[in-house]
Amino acid sequence: MTGPRSGGVVVVECAEYDHIDIDAGLWLDERHQTKFNSEIDGRDILRATFKKGVLKLQATSYVGVIPLNEYVVVRVKPRVPIANLTRMVIETGHNVLPLSTFREYSGRGTADDWAMDIYTDALLDHVDTILDAGLLRTYTNRQGEGHFPHGRIDFTRTMQRFAARGVDNKAAYSWFERTVDTPANRCVKAAMEVVHEHLSKARSKPRKGDRAKLARLAGQFHAFVEVSDDPDYRFLDDPEVLGLTPLPDPRAYYHPVLDLAILILQGVGIALELGGNDVQLRSLLIDTNKLFENFVRVSLAKQAKKLGWPVAVLDGNAEGKVDLYDVPDPPPAPFGVPLEALASDDPGKAQPDIVLRALDGSFPLVAEVKNTAHGKDAQADNVLPERGEVEQAITYALRYGRDFTLLIHPWINGAKGLIYVGRVRSVDVYAYRLDLSSNKHIDTALADMAATVGGLAGLTESQTPTSG
């Protein structure tokens, strides 16, 4: 790839952590500094690395459409088969990173609070755009009667209404009047009202920023004061609103806001997967490493509640963490003088991704969740987990007093479900390959994972997974 296409930008497709073959002249300046969009500059979204002595770009764990700069757009797809990113994001409440660049999405399912939050931000921005550029107006025919006609005299009506009755000082007339009370503006206003209701509804915990959004929306409503309400949504039959009849070229900026308004009014959600042309929204980047970890933990917590496990499923990065180091008393004295322990000031933290804590404070199981694609490029179907992951998991098992440890990965090929890796001294190492490649079987795969985790932790009778 040597340069931007004439009249456009270069679009590059890749998967997570792939090296990207882009001519360095498109992303490095003459001082060898990166020419990155300010929104991604300084974030671990794309990396400059050396591969076989050549400076290349490498994607990280963020998937989505990434505007590198004015010349290049990178579309990063998940490297493992994940059937429904949208479901994973919604169920975990996982944060997405919005960029100012717009891309197209497909509508799917029902718009819940998560989708409405995204729609709210997008609609506020779109309405600001149309207010800056000007509301769509049209000419409407008006009619009147009286002593002071203006516009065009309607001779037929004048003769019938007045002349025939001997009234010679009144006339019927008509004129054209520009108005903002158009189907398109009624559609936008109706969507604003739905968003207002979403922001105003009672919540157990008030959300930061909602007041500012309501104030911004109130200011926008003032510009629509002359636009009538249409509670029956009759504007949804208008060909301009539906995109069947083209809008005037100077008002093309109405297209994205009308597409969005229709999704809002119909209560349709969005699909985060790449592709689609139903609506334009800001490009939403997803960190799949954190997403996979959160989804596994949230799913296990739901299954634990459903099955009545007498444990709490905790995040070891938060409430489930413990001190990594102990300080013995007395400390060791290998040369006759007790040594002062650094851990006296900083004991460090053991932070497994998943911690099962029983009512008595014991820990039946700890697990590490890694979104790594084991065996993707290997000739064998089943390969060992990465060495660093195993070492970390064993350290945590020893610290939490367990004689086994569990690594959970997304399945990509080979065996699914539970795999025994081997033993490192006194610690048995297990790996679980979770298959998220099919919407149809995700619930079964999650139930099997929970049954396996429960069996390893001694909470349920172990069973052979059925999803493999």
Side-chain angles (χ1 to χ4, degrees):
M1 189 174 302
T2 58
R5 296 173 186 167
S6 176
V9 298
V10 173
V11 179
V12 183
E13 305 272 356
C14 71
E16 297 171 77
Y17 291 103
D18 275 358
H19 286 86
I20 311 169
D21 187 15
I22 304 176
D23 191 303
L26 296 178
W27 56 277
L28 286 177
D29 62 19
E30 61 279 359
R31 295 175 296 173
H32 297 93
Q33 294 180 329
T34 56
K35 296 186 290 186
F36 284 174
N37 176 346
S38 61
E39 290 183 301
I40 68 170
D41 196 14
R43 298 178 183 267
D44 190 27
I45 294 176
L46 294 169
R47 300 172 185 166
T49 64
F50 278 98
K51 185 179 181 182
K52 297 181 180 180
V54 179
L55 185 63
K56 289 181 174 288
L57 274 182
Q58 184 182 21
T60 63
S61 59
Y62 284 89
V63 300
V65 176
I66 305 169
L68 184 65
N69 52 37
E70 60 185 308
Y71 306 116
V72 184
V73 171
V74 180
R75 290 164 53 93
V76 184
K77 298 177 289 188
R79 58 182 169 170
V80 298
I82 296 178
N84 199 331
L85 281 173
T86 308
R87 169 181 171 171
M88 295 172 68
V89 169
I90 291 172
E91 291 194 8
T92 59
H94 185 75
N95 289 329
V96 294
L97 175 62
L99 303 179
S100 60
T101 298
F102 284 80
R103 55 157 287 203
E104 293 185 325
Y105 291 87
S106 290
R108 180 198 297 167
T110 303
D112 55 10
D113 280 351
W114 176 83
M116 283 302 301
D117 286 341
I118 292 175
Y119 289 166
T120 294
D121 292 338
L123 185 68
L124 290 172
D125 289 343
H126 279 314
V127 173
D128 278 345
T129 297
I130 65 176
L131 293 184
D132 288 341
L135 284 175
L136 176 65
R137 297 174 183 268
T138 190
Y139 285 95
T140 300
N141 183 261
R142 305 291 190 188
Q143 295 183 344
E145 299 173 348
H147 299 285
F148 305 101
H150 61 274
R152 182 177 180 181
I153 300 294
D154 187 333
F155 289 100
T156 300
R157 280 201 305 131
T158 299
M159 294 294 293
Q160 292 173 344
R161 293 278 295 156
F162 305 113
R165 294 157 47 193
V167 179
D168 58 4
N169 61 348
K170 296 179 75 174
Y173 53 93
S174 64
W175 73 100
F176 284 95
E177 183 177 272
R178 291 189 75 203
T179 178
V180 295
D181 191 16
T182 65
N185 287 330
R186 290 195 289 271
C187 180
V188 175
K189 183 177 181 180
M192 292 165 63
E193 289 167 347
V194 172
V195 163
H196 185 274
E197 182 179 353
H198 168 70
L199 291 172
S200 302
K201 71 180 181 180
R203 292 181 173 86
S204 57
K205 293 183 179 180
R207 301 182 310 173
K208 184 179 180 181
D210 278 3
R211 284 187 178 181
K213 292 175 184 177
L214 281 169
R216 184 178 170 191
L217 189 59
Q220 293 175 343
F221 269 123
H222 282 298
F224 285 77
V225 68
E226 296 180 10
V227 177
S228 62
D229 295 325
D230 184 357
D232 296 325
Y233 294 177
R234 289 169 295 179
F235 49 75
L236 290 179
D237 295 326
D238 184 82
E240 276 193 345
V241 171
L242 298 176
L244 303 177
T245 300
L247 290 161
D249 286 341
R251 296 291 184 256
Y253 52 84
Y254 262 80
H255 284 299
V257 71
L258 289 174
D259 290 340
L260 175 60
I262 290 172
L263 284 190
I264 291 173
L265 295 171
Q266 294 178 339
V268 177
I270 56 170
L272 291 172
E273 289 71 26
L274 295 180
N277 55 12
D278 291 331
V279 65
Q280 277 194 346
L281 298 169
R282 289 188 176 192
S283 182
L284 304 172
L285 301 189
I286 307 166
D287 183 351
T288 53
N289 285 352
K290 294 300 295 181
L291 176 63
F292 181 69
E293 175 190 326
N294 291 340
F295 185 63
V296 169
R297 183 168 47 247
V298 167
S299 299
L300 277 177
K302 289 181 178 178
Q303 290 291 328
K305 183 177 180 180
K306 177 181 177 181
L307 298 171
W309 289 355
V311 299
V313 179
L314 304 176
D315 180 356
N317 300 295
E319 67 270 29
K321 63 187 175 184
V322 299
D323 289 345
L324 178 60
Y325 295 99
D326 290 325
V327 178
D329 186 16
F335 301 105
V337 179
L339 297 176
E340 184 177 352
L342 295 176
S344 298
D345 297 322
D346 181 7
K349 294 298 176 185
Q351 298 172 283
D353 295 323
I354 293 176
V355 175
L356 267 57
R357 186 177 66 197
L359 298 176
D360 62 2
S362 63
F363 302 101
L365 178 143
V366 295
E368 278 292 281
V369 183
K370 302 296 184 184
N371 182 40
T372 45
H374 291 295
K376 178 182 177 183
D377 301 316
Q379 293 183 352
D381 284 339
N382 293 301
V383 297
L384 292 172
E386 292 181 8
R387 175 77 170 268
E389 295 176 2
V390 173
E391 292 172 351
Q392 183 182 31
I394 290 173
T395 299
Y396 290 156
L398 292 171
R399 184 61 189 87
Y400 282 79
R402 307 311 307 161
D403 57 4
F404 71 93
T405 191
L406 177 64
L407 289 160
I408 301 175
H409 300 107
W411 171 83
I412 187 167
N413 57 22
K416 301 177 184 179
L418 187 66
I419 297 170
Y420 178 59
V421 179
R423 180 176 293 176
V424 179
R425 300 292 293 188
S426 61
V427 179
D428 286 314
V429 179
Y430 296 95
Y432 194 92
R433 308 284 168 81
L434 176 61
D435 181 10
L436 299 177
S437 63
S438 168
N439 272 330
K440 186 176 180 181
H441 302 297
I442 286 180
D443 290 327
T444 301
L446 294 174
D448 286 342
M449 178 182 67
T452 302
V453 169
L456 288 174
L459 302 171
T460 63
E461 292 185 4
S462 60
Q463 67 179 55
T464 303
T466 58
S467 61

